[in-house]
Amino acid sequence: MLTIVSLIVLPLLSFFGGILGLKADPSDPKEDSKNKWIVGILVFSTIASIGISISGHQADVAQKKKDDGNIEFLKSTLTLVQGNTEDIKGVIARFLAGAGVAQSRIKNIQENGLSTPENVKLVQAGIRGDDLLKALMGQVQAENQKQPTTVIYYAKDVDPRDINGPALTSALQQAGFKLVQTTNGRKNPDLPTNAIWAAEDVPIEKVKFVAYALMRAGVEIRAIRPFSGSGRKLNEIEIGADKAIENHPPLTFEKIQAMQSLSRNLD
């Protein structure tokens, strides 16, 4: 009832008050014409006032419903988290282990939860990388069936051991790559993996797939470039480390997604 009064009745009272407040001589044609204009203006302003009031009220009601829904969602989420914290940590740990994240980092999350930006970033990278790998899997499998690409990974002790293990191997082999893990000829053995090189004849989707597999495991890739010297290597991708880019910002999933071809330009 109060809403109806505030939305409709009060503007109407203002309208009639304006009508009653008109002071004019009925016998004067000029005053009669003037009053018609005033009445027209009052009618228009009253209708506009009612319309705006109703529109504002509807927006307020919609926003309140949205706010109430958000509050209920937060309450239910908090209840779930409070009641099943260990279960949630267990699910996260199993997912990250399957993505190739090092056990030491998984243990940290199990003990401390997502209490640090680094842990949140790790989980986000795992989820994002996993989604992108699944989206590219079919295309890369088809390309590797036509012509398998060799991936050479120069494993290093400074890399998390799980990255050298089944998760990376499984993802690349499932996609049809020929994976070679070696320590022969490696450079910068004390520098964690941060770079990918590829032959110019390798489709860019294959290069992206390798990058996503590493980033899903928490590896920060800072550059993806072609081999130096045109045609020096064919149908090959190398995973390694480059001292010159160790302070360069890591590539984001979005930046790699936007790549159309290989470039020597780090920016």
Side-chain angles (χ1 to χ4, degrees):
M1 183 65 182
L2 183 60
T3 301
I4 294 175
V5 171
S6 62
L7 294 180
I8 299 175
V9 175
L10 290 180
L12 287 175
L13 287 176
S14 298
F15 168 70
F16 287 118
I19 294 295
L20 293 173
L22 291 175
K23 296 182 186 276
D25 182 358
S27 62
D28 189 343
K30 293 183 179 180
E31 287 297 330
D32 184 56
S33 175
K34 179 181 176 182
N35 287 343
K36 288 180 180 178
W37 277 103
I38 295 173
V39 170
I41 293 171
L42 286 172
V43 169
F44 175 79
S45 63
T46 300
I47 293 173
S49 176
I50 292 174
I52 293 170
S53 298
I54 292 175
S55 176
H57 175 68
Q58 290 175 337
D60 290 341
V61 169
Q63 185 61 45
K64 186 176 186 303
K65 287 182 179 178
K66 183 178 179 181
D67 292 341
D68 290 344
N70 290 338
I71 291 170
E72 290 305 315
F73 173 76
L74 289 173
K75 286 180 179 178
S76 61
T77 302
L78 288 172
T79 301
L80 176 64
V81 171
Q82 291 170 356
N84 302 281
T85 301
E86 294 307 315
D87 291 340
I88 293 172
K89 287 182 181 179
V91 170
I92 292 174
R94 287 192 295 274
F95 168 75
L96 294 179
V101 175
Q103 282 298 325
S104 59
R105 301 180 76 177
I106 294 174
K107 184 178 179 182
N108 181 273
I109 288 177
Q110 286 178 307
E111 292 176 352
N112 304 310
L114 302 179
S115 57
T116 66
E118 290 77 16
N119 286 344
V120 173
K121 183 179 177 182
L122 186 63
V123 174
Q124 290 174 333
I127 294 171
R128 184 67 174 140
D130 201 58
D131 288 342
L132 291 170
L133 285 173
K134 290 175 181 176
L136 270 183
M137 180 64 77
Q139 182 179 357
V140 173
Q141 282 177 329
E143 290 173 346
N144 275 328
Q145 284 176 356
K146 296 176 183 177
Q147 185 178 24
T149 296
T150 299
V151 176
I152 300 176
Y153 175 47
Y154 294 99
K156 295 180 285 297
D157 292 338
V158 291
D159 280 338
R161 290 190 180 277
D162 284 27
I163 295 174
N164 304 337
L168 179 63
T169 302
S170 174
L172 296 181
Q173 290 180 341
Q174 184 183 357
F177 290 100
K178 292 180 179 179
L179 180 62
V180 177
Q181 296 190 64
T182 180
T183 57
N184 295 328
R186 65 181 179 177
K187 298 179 180 179
N188 303 311
D190 298 325
L191 184 66
T193 295
N194 65 7
I196 296 173
W197 291 266
E200 293 180 353
D201 64 335
V202 176
I204 194 65
E205 289 77 15
K206 290 185 179 183
V207 182
K208 291 180 181 182
F209 190 94
V210 173
Y212 296 153
L214 290 166
M215 294 167 70
R216 181 181 67 168
V219 178
E220 293 186 331
I221 300 299
R222 301 177 187 277
I224 300 176
R225 294 169 293 180
F227 291 116
S228 58
S230 179
R232 187 172 71 88
K233 294 183 180 181
L234 297 175
N235 198 29
E236 185 175 297
I237 297 173
E238 289 187 7
I239 303 169
D242 185 351
K243 183 75 173 175
I245 63 169
E246 64 177 330
N247 295 320
H248 194 271
L251 295 175
T252 63
F253 285 108
E254 291 72 23
K255 184 144 190 171
I256 294 175
Q257 275 187 286
M259 289 178 59
Q260 300 297 317
S261 61
L262 295 173
S263 172
R264 300 188 190 282
N265 187 355
L266 293 178
D267 298 325

